[in-house]
């Protein structure tokens, strides 16, 4: 395994040049990005900033920060998208995506029944015309950053 084989590590190597959608928020341990190829606006992935392929290999410090990130990002998604709740899922099985990544998916009120629960993954690898565009993902990233930074809300 080299960095060239791992999408997350390639992005990490370009950290200072990443667009908003690839680095919505970060700390020393974790980076949050908008998912690729999804039809769901605000589908996030939370990635450790070093190459780790199993949750049991995370350090205690990474583990501690992980819980806070999952909740803080879920709150930002709720405020930015109006989702009822978020799904939090970790598999890391796709080719080139063995690097641990926690999916944090806004579960919208109108999500069709067949896509609730595990069926939401049908909305991850979508045809080009259904995908959230890079521009839309960047806009969502900026909206989430504003929520994370406690922007006063217009009522
Ligand atoms: Zn990696």
């Amino acid at each position: 395994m080299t960095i060239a084989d791992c999408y997350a590590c390639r992005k990490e190597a370009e950290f200072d040049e990443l667009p908003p959608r690839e680095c919505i928020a970060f700390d020393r341990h974790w980076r949050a990005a908008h998912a690729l190829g999804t039809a769901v606006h605000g589908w996030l992935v939370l990635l450790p900033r070093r190459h780790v392929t199993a949750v049991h290999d995370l350090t205690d410090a990474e583990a501690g920060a992980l819980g806070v990130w999952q909740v803080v990002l879920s709150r930002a998604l709720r405020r930015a998208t109006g989702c009822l709740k978020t799904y939090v899922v970790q598999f890391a099985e796709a080719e080139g995506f063995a690097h641990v990544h926690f999916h944090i998916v806004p579960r919208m009120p109108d999500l069709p029944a067949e896509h609730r629960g595990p069926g939401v993954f049908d909305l991850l690898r979508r045809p080009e015309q259904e995908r959230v565009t890079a521009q839309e993902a960047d806009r969502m990233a900026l909206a989430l950053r504003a929520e994370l930074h406690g922007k006063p809300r217009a009522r």
Side-chain angles (χ1 to χ4, degrees), residues 107-146:
R107 198 297 217 180
M108 299 308 289
D110 61 352
L111 184 69
E114 69 268 27
H115 293 313
R116 293 180 195 165
V120 82
F121 276 81
D122 297 339
L123 300 175
L124 185 55
R125 302 276 167 241
R126 298 306 297 173
E128 189 76 41
Q129 66 274 17
E130 294 178 28
R131 294 180 181 181
V132 177
T133 67
Q135 284 163 317
E136 289 168 336
D138 279 340
R139 273 204 299 277
M140 176 62 75
L142 296 177
L144 289 168
R145 280 184 189 170

Side-chain angles (χ1 to χ4, degrees), residues 1-3 5-10 12 47-53 96-100:
M1 149 76 213
T2 67
I3 281 180
D5 300 321
C6 176
Y7 183 83
C9 286
R10 287 202 307 275
E12 189 62 35
L47 305 131
R49 296 192 59 194
R50 65 187 180 94
H51 192 73
V52 183
T53 58
F97 296 87
H99 190 122
V100 162

Side-chain angles (χ1 to χ4, degrees), residues 8-78:
C9 286
R10 287 202 307 275
K11 292 296 167 192
E12 189 62 35
E14 303 164 3
F15 188 81
D16 291 336
E17 284 94 52
L18 294 178
R21 63 185 180 276
E22 292 285 358
C23 190
I24 295 167
F26 68 95
D27 65 7
R28 280 184 325 131
H29 303 297
W30 296 92
R31 173 170 60 91
H34 199 284
L36 295 171
T38 180
V40 177
H41 292 259
W43 184 316
L44 306 186
V45 288
L46 180 61
L47 305 131
R49 296 192 59 194
R50 65 187 180 94
H51 192 73
V52 183
T53 58
V55 173
H56 64 244
D57 286 330
L58 294 170
T59 66
D60 289 350
E62 287 164 341
L66 170 63
V68 175
W69 276 118
Q70 288 179 340
V71 175
V72 163
L73 290 168
S74 293
R75 288 176 184 154
L77 281 169
R78 175 155 170 81

